[in-house]
PDB file of all heavy atoms in Angstrom:
ATOM      1  N   LEU U   1     129.050  17.348-176.589  1.00 98.00           N
ATOM      2  CA  LEU U   1     129.454  15.972-176.236  1.00 98.00           C
ATOM      3  C   LEU U   1     128.437  14.928-176.977  1.00 98.00           C
ATOM      4  O   LEU U   1     127.241  15.028-176.618  1.00 98.00           O
ATOM      5  CB  LEU U   1     129.565  15.648-174.801  1.00 98.00           C
ATOM      6  CG  LEU U   1     129.682  14.187-174.316  1.00 98.00           C
ATOM      7  CD1 LEU U   1     130.996  13.588-174.913  1.00 98.00           C
ATOM      8  CD2 LEU U   1     129.642  14.188-172.836  1.00 98.00           C
ATOM      9  N   ILE U   2     128.864  14.167-177.936  1.00 98.00           N
ATOM     10  CA  ILE U   2     128.014  13.186-178.530  1.00 98.00           C
ATOM     11  C   ILE U   2     128.314  11.796-178.144  1.00 98.00           C
ATOM     12  O   ILE U   2     129.533  11.554-177.704  1.00 98.00           O
ATOM     13  CB  ILE U   2     128.010  13.381-180.135  1.00 98.00           C
ATOM     14  CG1 ILE U   2     129.434  13.086-180.637  1.00 98.00           C
ATOM     15  CG2 ILE U   2     127.607  14.695-180.473  1.00 98.00           C
ATOM     16  CD1 ILE U   2     129.542  13.003-182.109  1.00 98.00           C
ATOM     17  N   ASN U   3     127.442  10.917-178.401  1.00 98.00           N
ATOM     18  CA  ASN U   3     127.628   9.526-178.262  1.00 98.00           C
ATOM     19  C   ASN U   3     128.618   8.938-179.104  1.00 98.00           C
ATOM     20  O   ASN U   3     128.978   9.576-180.102  1.00 98.00           O
ATOM     21  CB  ASN U   3     126.362   8.710-178.390  1.00 98.00           C
ATOM     22  CG  ASN U   3     125.765   8.950-179.813  1.00 98.00           C
ATOM     23  OD1 ASN U   3     125.074   9.889-180.066  1.00 98.00           O
ATOM     24  ND2 ASN U   3     126.094   8.041-180.748  1.00 98.00           N
ATOM     25  N   PRO U   4     129.281   7.861-178.728  1.00 98.00           N
ATOM     26  CA  PRO U   4     130.252   7.245-179.711  1.00 98.00           C
ATOM     27  C   PRO U   4     129.692   7.044-181.134  1.00 98.00           C
ATOM     28  O   PRO U   4     128.576   6.599-181.212  1.00 98.00           O
ATOM     29  CB  PRO U   4     130.646   5.876-179.034  1.00 98.00           C
ATOM     30  CG  PRO U   4     130.370   6.096-177.600  1.00 98.00           C
ATOM     31  CD  PRO U   4     129.185   6.989-177.528  1.00 98.00           C
ATOM     32  N   VAL U   5     130.514   7.407-182.100  1.00 98.00           N
ATOM     33  CA  VAL U   5     130.162   7.173-183.561  1.00 98.00           C
ATOM     34  C   VAL U   5     131.088   6.200-184.160  1.00 98.00           C
ATOM     35  O   VAL U   5     131.400   6.361-185.355  1.00 98.00           O
ATOM     36  CB  VAL U   5     129.944   8.533-184.349  1.00 98.00           C
ATOM     37  CG1 VAL U   5     128.781   9.317-183.805  1.00 98.00           C
ATOM     38  CG2 VAL U   5     131.340   9.298-184.214  1.00 98.00           C
ATOM     39  N   HIS U   6     131.497   5.193-183.382  1.00 98.00           N
ATOM     40  CA  HIS U   6     132.307   4.125-183.928  1.00 98.00           C
ATOM     41  C   HIS U   6     131.566   3.276-184.953  1.00 98.00           C
ATOM     42  O   HIS U   6     130.349   3.319-185.013  1.00 98.00           O
ATOM     43  CB  HIS U   6     132.859   3.238-182.792  1.00 98.00           C
ATOM     44  CG  HIS U   6     133.606   3.934-181.736  1.00 98.00           C
ATOM     45  ND1 HIS U   6     134.622   4.784-181.902  1.00 98.00           N
ATOM     46  CD2 HIS U   6     133.424   3.852-180.411  1.00 98.00           C
ATOM     47  CE1 HIS U   6     135.012   5.245-180.779  1.00 98.00           C
ATOM     48  NE2 HIS U   6     134.375   4.682-179.805  1.00 98.00           N
ATOM     49  N   ALA U   7     132.364   2.545-185.706  1.00 98.00           N
ATOM     50  CA  ALA U   7     131.793   1.764-186.766  1.00 98.00           C
ATOM     51  C   ALA U   7     130.743   0.754-186.305  1.00 98.00           C
ATOM     52  O   ALA U   7     130.903   0.113-185.330  1.00 98.00           O
ATOM     53  CB  ALA U   7     132.945   1.008-187.627  1.00 98.00           C
ATOM     54  N   ALA U   8     129.770   0.568-187.210  1.00 97.00           N
ATOM     55  CA  ALA U   8     128.687  -0.470-187.062  1.00 97.00           C
ATOM     56  C   ALA U   8     128.579  -1.579-188.066  1.00 97.00           C
ATOM     57  O   ALA U   8     129.475  -1.629-188.964  1.00 97.00           O
ATOM     58  CB  ALA U   8     127.429   0.268-186.887  1.00 97.00           C
ATOM     59  N   GLU U   9     127.594  -2.345-188.018  1.00 97.00           N
ATOM     60  CA  GLU U   9     127.417  -3.409-189.028  1.00 97.00           C
ATOM     61  C   GLU U   9     127.084  -2.747-190.379  1.00 97.00           C
ATOM     62  O   GLU U   9     126.572  -1.690-190.468  1.00 97.00           O
ATOM     63  CB  GLU U   9     126.287  -4.354-188.613  1.00 97.00           C
ATOM     64  CG  GLU U   9     126.477  -5.124-187.292  1.00 97.00           C
ATOM     65  CD  GLU U   9     126.001  -4.374-186.110  1.00 97.00           C
ATOM     66  OE1 GLU U   9     125.723  -3.147-186.114  1.00 97.00           O
ATOM     67  OE2 GLU U   9     125.994  -5.029-185.040  1.00 97.00           O
ATOM     68  N   PRO U  10     127.244  -3.533-191.490  1.00 97.00           N
ATOM     69  CA  PRO U  10     127.009  -2.916-192.798  1.00 97.00           C
ATOM     70  C   PRO U  10     125.511  -3.055-193.291  1.00 97.00           C
ATOM     71  O   PRO U  10     125.113  -2.239-194.071  1.00 97.00           O
ATOM     72  CB  PRO U  10     127.900  -3.822-193.748  1.00 97.00           C
ATOM     73  CG  PRO U  10     127.901  -5.116-192.965  1.00 97.00           C
ATOM     74  CD  PRO U  10     127.983  -4.825-191.517  1.00 97.00           C
ATOM     75  N   ILE U  11     124.788  -4.099-192.638  1.00 96.00           N
ATOM     76  CA  ILE U  11     123.373  -4.203-192.998  1.00 96.00           C
ATOM     77  C   ILE U  11     122.614  -4.498-191.796  1.00 96.00           C
ATOM     78  O   ILE U  11     123.227  -4.841-190.737  1.00 96.00           O
ATOM     79  CB  ILE U  11     123.198  -5.427-194.075  1.00 96.00           C
ATOM     80  CG1 ILE U  11     123.819  -6.714-193.495  1.00 96.00           C
ATOM     81  CG2 ILE U  11     123.839  -5.003-195.396  1.00 96.00           C
ATOM     82  CD1 ILE U  11     123.436  -8.012-194.353  1.00 96.00           C
ATOM     83  N   SER U  12     121.304  -4.439-191.860  1.00 95.00           N
ATOM     84  CA  SER U  12     120.387  -4.628-190.732  1.00 95.00           C
ATOM     85  C   SER U  12     120.417  -6.138-190.321  1.00 95.00           C
ATOM     86  O   SER U  12     120.653  -7.008-191.205  1.00 95.00           O
ATOM     87  CB  SER U  12     118.986  -4.185-191.099  1.00 95.00           C
ATOM     88  OG  SER U  12     118.986  -2.881-191.477  1.00 95.00           O
ATOM     89  N   PRO U  13     120.199  -6.441-189.062  1.00 95.00           N
ATOM     90  CA  PRO U  13     120.006  -5.494-187.892  1.00 95.00           C
ATOM     91  C   PRO U  13     121.214  -4.857-187.411  1.00 95.00           C
ATOM     92  O   PRO U  13     122.267  -5.373-187.273  1.00 95.00           O
ATOM     93  CB  PRO U  13     119.317  -6.435-186.915  1.00 95.00           C
ATOM     94  CG  PRO U  13     120.000  -7.681-187.094  1.00 95.00           C
ATOM     95  CD  PRO U  13     120.305  -7.798-188.655  1.00 95.00           C
ATOM     96  N   LEU U  14     121.043  -3.522-187.060  1.00 96.00           N
ATOM     97  CA  LEU U  14     122.202  -2.791-186.512  1.00 96.00           C
ATOM     98  C   LEU U  14     121.980  -2.832-184.868  1.00 96.00           C
ATOM     99  O   LEU U  14     121.024  -2.715-184.368  1.00 96.00           O
ATOM    100  CB  LEU U  14     122.035  -1.316-186.955  1.00 96.00           C
ATOM    101  CG  LEU U  14     122.072  -1.050-188.447  1.00 96.00           C
ATOM    102  CD1 LEU U  14     121.810   0.491-188.749  1.00 96.00           C
ATOM    103  CD2 LEU U  14     123.307  -1.568-189.047  1.00 96.00           C
ATOM    104  N   THR U  15     123.202  -2.910-184.318  1.00 95.00           N
ATOM    105  CA  THR U  15     123.236  -2.957-182.843  1.00 95.00           C
ATOM    106  C   THR U  15     122.907  -1.579-182.401  1.00 95.00           C
ATOM    107  O   THR U  15     123.466  -0.541-182.722  1.00 95.00           O
ATOM    108  CB  THR U  15     124.743  -3.280-182.395  1.00 95.00           C
ATOM    109  OG1 THR U  15     124.943  -4.631-182.838  1.00 95.00           O
ATOM    110  CG2 THR U  15     124.783  -3.270-180.784  1.00 95.00           C
ATOM    111  N   PRO U  16     121.921  -1.445-181.466  1.00 96.00           N
ATOM    112  CA  PRO U  16     121.429  -0.169-181.021  1.00 96.00           C
ATOM    113  C   PRO U  16     122.611   0.527-180.161  1.00 96.00           C
ATOM    114  O   PRO U  16     122.727   1.827-180.230  1.00 96.00           O
ATOM    115  CB  PRO U  16     120.237  -0.415-180.145  1.00 96.00           C
ATOM    116  CG  PRO U  16     119.792  -1.768-180.565  1.00 96.00           C
ATOM    117  CD  PRO U  16     121.066  -2.487-181.052  1.00 96.00           C
ATOM    118  N   SER U  17     123.380  -0.166-179.342  1.00 95.00           N
ATOM    119  CA  SER U  17     124.214   0.592-178.477  1.00 95.00           C
ATOM    120  C   SER U  17     125.510   1.101-179.130  1.00 95.00           C
ATOM    121  O   SER U  17     126.198   0.350-179.803  1.00 95.00           O
ATOM    122  CB  SER U  17     124.692  -0.453-177.372  1.00 95.00           C
ATOM    123  OG  SER U  17     125.687   0.161-176.621  1.00 95.00           O
ATOM    124  N   PRO U  18     125.687   2.357-179.002  1.00 96.00           N
ATOM    125  CA  PRO U  18     126.875   2.976-179.606  1.00 96.00           C
ATOM    126  C   PRO U  18     128.103   2.573-178.785  1.00 96.00           C
ATOM    127  O   PRO U  18     129.290   2.896-179.248  1.00 96.00           O
ATOM    128  CB  PRO U  18     126.667   4.530-179.509  1.00 96.00           C
ATOM    129  CG  PRO U  18     125.691   4.685-178.331  1.00 96.00           C
ATOM    130  CD  PRO U  18     124.867   3.508-178.340  1.00 96.00           C
ATOM    131  N   TYR U  19     127.891   1.976-177.644  1.00 94.00           N
ATOM    132  CA  TYR U  19     129.041   1.459-176.744  1.00 94.00           C
ATOM    133  C   TYR U  19     129.379   0.106-177.120  1.00 94.00           C
ATOM    134  O   TYR U  19     130.315  -0.479-176.376  1.00 94.00           O
ATOM    135  CB  TYR U  19     128.679   1.810-175.295  1.00 94.00           C
ATOM    136  CG  TYR U  19     128.575   3.112-174.961  1.00 94.00           C
ATOM    137  CD1 TYR U  19     127.353   3.862-175.015  1.00 94.00           C
ATOM    138  CD2 TYR U  19     129.743   3.888-174.616  1.00 94.00           C
ATOM    139  CE1 TYR U  19     127.399   5.242-174.682  1.00 94.00           C
ATOM    140  CE2 TYR U  19     129.703   5.236-174.286  1.00 94.00           C
ATOM    141  CZ  TYR U  19     128.486   5.910-174.303  1.00 94.00           C
ATOM    142  OH  TYR U  19     128.488   7.258-174.119  1.00 94.00           O
ATOM    143  N   LEU U  20     128.821  -0.503-178.026  1.00 94.00           N
ATOM    144  CA  LEU U  20     129.310  -1.824-178.561  1.00 94.00           C
ATOM    145  C   LEU U  20     129.487  -1.834-180.050  1.00 94.00           C
ATOM    146  O   LEU U  20     128.873  -2.517-180.796  1.00 94.00           O
ATOM    147  CB  LEU U  20     128.132  -2.922-178.183  1.00 94.00           C
ATOM    148  CG  LEU U  20     128.426  -4.342-178.294  1.00 94.00           C
ATOM    149  CD1 LEU U  20     129.719  -4.688-177.533  1.00 94.00           C
ATOM    150  CD2 LEU U  20     127.167  -5.224-177.975  1.00 94.00           C
ATOM    151  N   PRO U  21     130.641  -1.190-180.481  1.00 96.00           N
ATOM    152  CA  PRO U  21     130.880  -0.930-181.812  1.00 96.00           C
ATOM    153  C   PRO U  21     131.546  -2.230-182.553  1.00 96.00           C
ATOM    154  O   PRO U  21     132.145  -2.970-181.753  1.00 96.00           O
ATOM    155  CB  PRO U  21     131.838   0.216-181.845  1.00 96.00           C
ATOM    156  CG  PRO U  21     132.526   0.160-180.515  1.00 96.00           C
ATOM    157  CD  PRO U  21     131.582  -0.462-179.560  1.00 96.00           C
ATOM    158  N   ILE U  22     131.520  -2.299-183.801  1.00 96.00           N
ATOM    159  CA  ILE U  22     132.127  -3.337-184.547  1.00 96.00           C
ATOM    160  C   ILE U  22     133.746  -2.994-184.503  1.00 96.00           C
ATOM    161  O   ILE U  22     134.512  -3.911-184.522  1.00 96.00           O
ATOM    162  CB  ILE U  22     131.571  -3.391-185.886  1.00 96.00           C
ATOM    163  CG1 ILE U  22     130.143  -3.802-185.857  1.00 96.00           C
ATOM    164  CG2 ILE U  22     132.417  -4.274-186.886  1.00 96.00           C
ATOM    165  CD1 ILE U  22     129.950  -5.115-185.193  1.00 96.00           C
ATOM    166  N   SER U  23     133.967  -1.744-184.629  1.00 96.00           N
ATOM    167  CA  SER U  23     135.373  -1.324-184.553  1.00 96.00           C
ATOM    168  C   SER U  23     135.423   0.205-184.042  1.00 96.00           C
ATOM    169  O   SER U  23     134.573   0.996-184.367  1.00 96.00           O
ATOM    170  CB  SER U  23     135.959  -1.302-185.988  1.00 96.00           C
ATOM    171  OG  SER U  23     137.259  -0.565-185.989  1.00 96.00           O
ATOM    172  N   ARG U  24     136.379   0.462-183.170  1.00 96.00           N
ATOM    173  CA  ARG U  24     136.714   1.755-182.687  1.00 96.00           C
ATOM    174  C   ARG U  24     137.603   2.523-183.598  1.00 96.00           C
ATOM    175  O   ARG U  24     137.642   3.800-183.298  1.00 96.00           O
ATOM    176  CB  ARG U  24     137.156   1.759-181.250  1.00 96.00           C
ATOM    177  CG  ARG U  24     136.272   1.340-180.176  1.00 96.00           C
ATOM    178  CD  ARG U  24     136.830   1.409-178.822  1.00 96.00           C
ATOM    179  NE  ARG U  24     138.023   0.629-178.508  1.00 96.00           N
ATOM    180  CZ  ARG U  24     138.822   0.661-177.461  1.00 96.00           C
ATOM    181  NH1 ARG U  24     138.378   1.464-176.461  1.00 96.00           N
ATOM    182  NH2 ARG U  24     139.745  -0.068-177.245  1.00 96.00           N
ATOM    183  N   ARG U  25     138.140   1.875-184.529  1.00 96.00           N
ATOM    184  CA  ARG U  25     139.076   2.462-185.397  1.00 96.00           C
ATOM    185  C   ARG U  25     138.380   3.308-186.568  1.00 96.00           C
ATOM    186  O   ARG U  25     138.934   4.261-187.061  1.00 96.00           O
ATOM    187  CB  ARG U  25     139.844   1.290-186.179  1.00 96.00           C
ATOM    188  CG  ARG U  25     140.876   1.739-187.140  1.00 96.00           C
ATOM    189  CD  ARG U  25     142.102   2.493-186.638  1.00 96.00           C
ATOM    190  NE  ARG U  25     143.009   2.701-187.683  1.00 96.00           N
ATOM    191  CZ  ARG U  25     142.964   3.656-188.562  1.00 96.00           C
ATOM    192  NH1 ARG U  25     141.967   4.511-188.597  1.00 96.00           N
ATOM    193  NH2 ARG U  25     143.861   3.806-189.527  1.00 96.00           N
ATOM    194  N   PHE U  26     137.150   2.980-186.876  1.00 97.00           N
ATOM    195  CA  PHE U  26     136.552   3.625-187.895  1.00 97.00           C
ATOM    196  C   PHE U  26     135.143   4.250-187.516  1.00 97.00           C
ATOM    197  O   PHE U  26     134.673   4.079-186.341  1.00 97.00           O
ATOM    198  CB  PHE U  26     136.337   2.840-189.076  1.00 97.00           C
ATOM    199  CG  PHE U  26     137.615   2.343-189.755  1.00 97.00           C
ATOM    200  CD1 PHE U  26     138.220   1.164-189.614  1.00 97.00           C
ATOM    201  CD2 PHE U  26     138.339   3.256-190.514  1.00 97.00           C
ATOM    202  CE1 PHE U  26     139.455   0.766-190.123  1.00 97.00           C
ATOM    203  CE2 PHE U  26     139.443   3.014-191.074  1.00 97.00           C
ATOM    204  CZ  PHE U  26     140.152   1.747-190.940  1.00 97.00           C
ATOM    205  N   ILE U  27     134.523   4.892-188.443  1.00 97.00           N
ATOM    206  CA  ILE U  27     133.294   5.871-188.192  1.00 97.00           C
ATOM    207  C   ILE U  27     132.013   5.005-188.596  1.00 97.00           C
ATOM    208  O   ILE U  27     132.006   4.189-189.539  1.00 97.00           O
ATOM    209  CB  ILE U  27     133.377   7.037-188.898  1.00 97.00           C
ATOM    210  CG1 ILE U  27     134.598   7.814-188.583  1.00 97.00           C
ATOM    211  CG2 ILE U  27     132.126   7.930-188.727  1.00 97.00           C
ATOM    212  CD1 ILE U  27     134.666   8.223-187.047  1.00 97.00           C
ATOM    213  N   ASN U  28     130.965   5.265-187.961  1.00 98.00           N
ATOM    214  CA  ASN U  28     129.689   4.656-188.237  1.00 98.00           C
ATOM    215  C   ASN U  28     129.059   5.324-189.506  1.00 98.00           C
ATOM    216  O   ASN U  28     128.494   6.395-189.465  1.00 98.00           O
ATOM    217  CB  ASN U  28     128.605   4.692-187.068  1.00 98.00           C
ATOM    218  CG  ASN U  28     127.421   3.966-187.310  1.00 98.00           C
ATOM    219  OD1 ASN U  28     126.905   3.783-188.437  1.00 98.00           O
ATOM    220  ND2 ASN U  28     126.713   3.662-186.256  1.00 98.00           N
ATOM    221  N   PHE U  29     129.139   4.563-190.674  1.00 98.00           N
ATOM    222  CA  PHE U  29     128.721   5.162-191.923  1.00 98.00           C
ATOM    223  C   PHE U  29     127.264   5.276-192.026  1.00 98.00           C
ATOM    224  O   PHE U  29     126.700   5.902-192.966  1.00 98.00           O
ATOM    225  CB  PHE U  29     129.412   4.561-193.157  1.00 98.00           C
ATOM    226  CG  PHE U  29     129.312   3.036-193.187  1.00 98.00           C
ATOM    227  CD1 PHE U  29     128.176   2.347-193.040  1.00 98.00           C
ATOM    228  CD2 PHE U  29     130.548   2.339-193.398  1.00 98.00           C
ATOM    229  CE1 PHE U  29     128.102   0.941-193.126  1.00 98.00           C
ATOM    230  CE2 PHE U  29     130.511   0.942-193.506  1.00 98.00           C
ATOM    231  CZ  PHE U  29     129.395   0.273-193.358  1.00 98.00           C
ATOM    232  N   THR U  30     126.354   4.746-191.092  1.00 98.00           N
ATOM    233  CA  THR U  30     124.985   4.935-191.195  1.00 98.00           C
ATOM    234  C   THR U  30     124.604   6.400-190.836  1.00 98.00           C
ATOM    235  O   THR U  30     123.478   6.823-191.065  1.00 98.00           O
ATOM    236  CB  THR U  30     124.328   3.928-190.237  1.00 98.00           C
ATOM    237  OG1 THR U  30     124.490   4.331-188.871  1.00 98.00           O
ATOM    238  CG2 THR U  30     124.736   2.472-190.455  1.00 98.00           C
ATOM    239  N   TYR U  31     125.575   7.138-190.254  1.00 98.00           N
ATOM    240  CA  TYR U  31     125.326   8.522-189.985  1.00 98.00           C
ATOM    241  C   TYR U  31     125.488   9.422-191.154  1.00 98.00           C
ATOM    242  O   TYR U  31     125.333  10.693-191.027  1.00 98.00           O
ATOM    243  CB  TYR U  31     126.147   9.024-188.845  1.00 98.00           C
ATOM    244  CG  TYR U  31     125.785   8.663-187.533  1.00 98.00           C
ATOM    245  CD1 TYR U  31     126.526   7.574-186.669  1.00 98.00           C
ATOM    246  CD2 TYR U  31     124.618   9.071-186.835  1.00 98.00           C
ATOM    247  CE1 TYR U  31     126.111   7.274-185.495  1.00 98.00           C
ATOM    248  CE2 TYR U  31     124.222   8.683-185.546  1.00 98.00           C
ATOM    249  CZ  TYR U  31     125.069   7.767-184.859  1.00 98.00           C
ATOM    250  OH  TYR U  31     124.762   7.367-183.626  1.00 98.00           O
ATOM    251  N   THR U  32     125.812   8.898-192.312  1.00 98.00           N
ATOM    252  CA  THR U  32     126.033   9.708-193.571  1.00 98.00           C
ATOM    253  C   THR U  32     124.824  10.397-193.933  1.00 98.00           C
ATOM    254  O   THR U  32     123.750   9.773-194.022  1.00 98.00           O
ATOM    255  CB  THR U  32     126.665   8.778-194.642  1.00 98.00           C
ATOM    256  OG1 THR U  32     127.898   8.311-194.162  1.00 98.00           O
ATOM    257  CG2 THR U  32     126.918   9.557-195.951  1.00 98.00           C
ATOM    258  N   ARG U  33     124.918  11.556-194.479  1.00 98.00           N
ATOM    259  CA  ARG U  33     123.798  12.325-195.216  1.00 98.00           C
ATOM    260  C   ARG U  33     124.081  12.112-196.774  1.00 98.00           C
ATOM    261  O   ARG U  33     124.879  12.747-197.271  1.00 98.00           O
ATOM    262  CB  ARG U  33     123.638  13.683-194.846  1.00 98.00           C
ATOM    263  CG  ARG U  33     122.527  14.466-195.536  1.00 98.00           C
ATOM    264  CD  ARG U  33     121.183  13.970-195.160  1.00 98.00           C
ATOM    265  NE  ARG U  33     120.782  14.248-193.808  1.00 98.00           N
ATOM    266  CZ  ARG U  33     120.108  15.457-193.507  1.00 98.00           C
ATOM    267  NH1 ARG U  33     119.675  16.262-194.464  1.00 98.00           N
ATOM    268  NH2 ARG U  33     119.804  15.669-192.138  1.00 98.00           N
ATOM    269  N   PRO U  34     123.251  11.306-197.435  1.00 98.00           N
ATOM    270  CA  PRO U  34     123.462  10.998-198.845  1.00 98.00           C
ATOM    271  C   PRO U  34     123.495  12.401-199.789  1.00 98.00           C
ATOM    272  O   PRO U  34     124.382  12.482-200.697  1.00 98.00           O
ATOM    273  CB  PRO U  34     122.364  10.121-199.250  1.00 98.00           C
ATOM    274  CG  PRO U  34     121.956   9.438-198.004  1.00 98.00           C
ATOM    275  CD  PRO U  34     122.185  10.482-196.986  1.00 98.00           C
ATOM    276  N   GLU U  35     122.643  13.305-199.511  1.00 98.00           N
ATOM    277  CA  GLU U  35     122.532  14.487-200.305  1.00 98.00           C
ATOM    278  C   GLU U  35     123.738  15.342-200.155  1.00 98.00           C
ATOM    279  O   GLU U  35     124.017  16.261-201.025  1.00 98.00           O
ATOM    280  CB  GLU U  35     121.247  15.243-199.909  1.00 98.00           C
ATOM    281  CG  GLU U  35     120.049  14.482-200.161  1.00 98.00           C
ATOM    282  CD  GLU U  35     119.475  13.755-198.958  1.00 98.00           C
ATOM    283  OE1 GLU U  35     120.336  13.264-198.194  1.00 98.00           O
ATOM    284  OE2 GLU U  35     118.224  13.635-198.823  1.00 98.00           O
TER     285      GLU U  35
END
């Protein structure tokens, strides 16, 4: 069971709370691994 990974802001500062997302429709792309 993981914390919500809903969408966040595109640039800093990022809201710390995963329970206050920008959108529940999409995914938080800051969790992406570039490599």
Side-chain angles (χ1 to χ4, degrees):
L1 167 60
I2 61 172
N3 56 275
V5 290
H6 304 310
E9 297 89 348
I11 58 175
S12 303
L14 303 177
T15 299
S17 174
Y19 291 93
L20 189 59
I22 295 306
S23 169
R24 292 188 294 176
R25 176 72 173 79
F26 292 105
I27 302 300
N28 187 335
F29 45 54
T30 70
Y31 284 112
T32 298
R33 177 66 70 94
E35 298 92 329

